């Protein structure tokens, strides 16, 4: 059985867009500490799903080779909806699911072209600018689509998946999968942000190697998803820590992306990328991603890359980032 790369997004990260408009219910779990369960805003997703008794797949969508592999996985769960979307550079993307997820499918269909453009504006045009997005109808279908088996936590809202590939080739088997209840626990803004985050992983996959530092991989995906958002919107946990004069001592370690510190860790990773884009520029942030994501790194290799790309040692870079963070808490 082929091993596939899975990029997961935990709901612990996604509370900031909704704190002004929806009530938040905190559930404690052993997976990720305090996870924010986000109910819909009043009236959210009120559209009545259309009645579908058979597959609703257009001729063009049915002919898309990306649909064949997914159909084998999802047909046992019921009739299929497959909506075609024109995305960047005239490419065709697909949003697939079941009639019960028609509202989420419709929302993702509406958002996918703009999300593709947003990712391309940061990353550049050298990716497919096309995606397959699937909405699962149950936890078991979700786990099957991301090949996670029993290891997939119920708190994961979405994941991006790709086949293993040889460096220099084009990634295959890529898709973004949303969990069955993502649309019930996130409002439209949350689904939009989540789509852009996962789409960034799709866009950057050809430049990303397994084992590369998560502070770069997840921080960059968060940066792309939140372009234009204020620091306090994106990083409420980190903001609270900074106001208590609690500064990160170093770049986030991979182990901290799960467990009780996950929310603050994702925010720290985002802040590193936001800092680079502000102090240097976005093009050098992208260059830094390409260099850092190209291999598993150590402090020594990170130091060399930071010197090459930004002209700063790792120690100076961390110190500058910490100073920048201190200024954000004012």
């Amino acid at each position: 059985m082929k091993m596939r790369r899975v990029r997961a997004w935990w709901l612990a990260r996604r509370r900031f867009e909704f704190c002004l408009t929806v009530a938040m219910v905190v559930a404690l779990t052993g997976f990720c500490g305090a996870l924010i369960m986000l109910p819909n805003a009043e009236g959210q997703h009120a559209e009545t799903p259309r009645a579908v008794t058979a597959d609703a797949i257009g001729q063009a969508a049915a002919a898309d080779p990306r649909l064949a592999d997914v159909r084998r996985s999802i047909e046992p769960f019921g009739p299929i909806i497959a909506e075609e979307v024109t995305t960047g550079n005239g490419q065709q993307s697909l949003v697939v699911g079941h009639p019960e997820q028609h509202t989420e499918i419709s929302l993702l269909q509406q958002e996918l072209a703009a999300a593709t453009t947003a990712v391309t504006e940061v990353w550049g045009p050298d990716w497919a600018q096309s995606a397959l997005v699937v909405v699962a109808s149950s936890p078991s279908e979700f786990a099957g689509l991301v090949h996670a088996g029993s290891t997939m936590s119920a708190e994961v809202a979405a994941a991006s998946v790709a086949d293993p590939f040889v460096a220099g080739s084009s990634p295959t088997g890529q898709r973004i999968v949303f969990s069955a209840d993502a649309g019930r626990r996130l409002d439209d803004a949350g689904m939009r942000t989540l789509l852009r985050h996962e789409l960034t992983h799709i866009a950057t996959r050809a430049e990303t190697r397994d084992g590369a530092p998560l502070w770069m991989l997840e921080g960059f995906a968060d940066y792309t998803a939140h372009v234009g958002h204020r620091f306090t919107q994106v990083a409420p946990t980190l903001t609270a820590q900074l106001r208590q004069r609690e500064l990160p001592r170093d770049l986030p370690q991979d182990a901290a992306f799960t467990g009780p510190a996950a929310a603050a860790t994702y925010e720290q990773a985002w802040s590193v990328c936001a800092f680079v884009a502000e102090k240097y520029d976005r093009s050098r942030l992208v260059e830094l991603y390409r260099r850092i994501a190209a291999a598993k790194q150590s402090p020594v290799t990170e130091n060399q890359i930071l010197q090459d790309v930004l002209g700063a040692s790792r120690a100076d870079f961390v110190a500058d980032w910490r100073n920048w963070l201190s200024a954000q808490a004012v």
Side-chain angles (χ1 to χ4, degrees), residues 247-293:
L247 278 169
R249 295 182 179 181
D250 200 355
L251 301 174
Q253 299 299 303
D254 285 5
F257 283 85
T258 58
T265 302
Y266 272 92
E267 292 173 9
Q268 288 174 22
W270 166 81
S271 75
V272 175
C273 293
F275 160 68
V276 173
E278 181 175 308
K279 177 171 180 177
Y280 299 93
D281 56 41
R282 188 178 289 175
S283 64
R284 281 206 272 183
L285 172 61
V286 172
E287 183 182 356
L288 185 64
Y289 181 96
R290 292 180 186 275
R291 293 286 302 276
I292 294 287

Side-chain angles (χ1 to χ4, degrees), residues 72-133:
R72 287 192 292 270
S73 298
I74 69 176
E75 277 183 330
F77 294 89
I80 299 170
I81 297 174
E83 302 285 3
E84 198 168 33
V85 184
T86 300
T87 50
N89 201 27
Q91 300 300 310
Q92 296 303 309
S93 295
L94 288 177
V95 183
V96 182
H98 302 285
E100 310 88 80
Q101 280 71 49
H102 172 63
T103 301
E104 290 85 352
I105 292 169
S106 178
L107 173 64
L108 293 168
Q109 180 188 14
Q110 294 169 19
E111 293 290 343
L112 188 52
T116 302
T117 298
V119 171
T120 299
E121 286 177 352
V122 176
W123 179 247
D126 58 337
W127 66 292
Q129 299 185 53
S130 176
L132 171 63
V133 181

Side-chain angles (χ1 to χ4, degrees), residues 168-193:
S169 64
S170 297
T172 60
Q174 292 201 107
R175 58 176 174 261
I176 298 169
V177 186
F178 281 77
S179 71
D181 60 353
R184 292 191 293 272
R185 287 158 43 176
L186 300 173
D187 69 0
D188 289 0
M191 293 287 281
R192 181 183 307 117
T193 299

Side-chain angles (χ1 to χ4, degrees), residues 41-55:
E42 184 176 354
Q44 180 68 33
H45 300 328
E47 179 184 358
T48 302
R50 64 184 178 184
V52 178
T53 57
D55 288 358

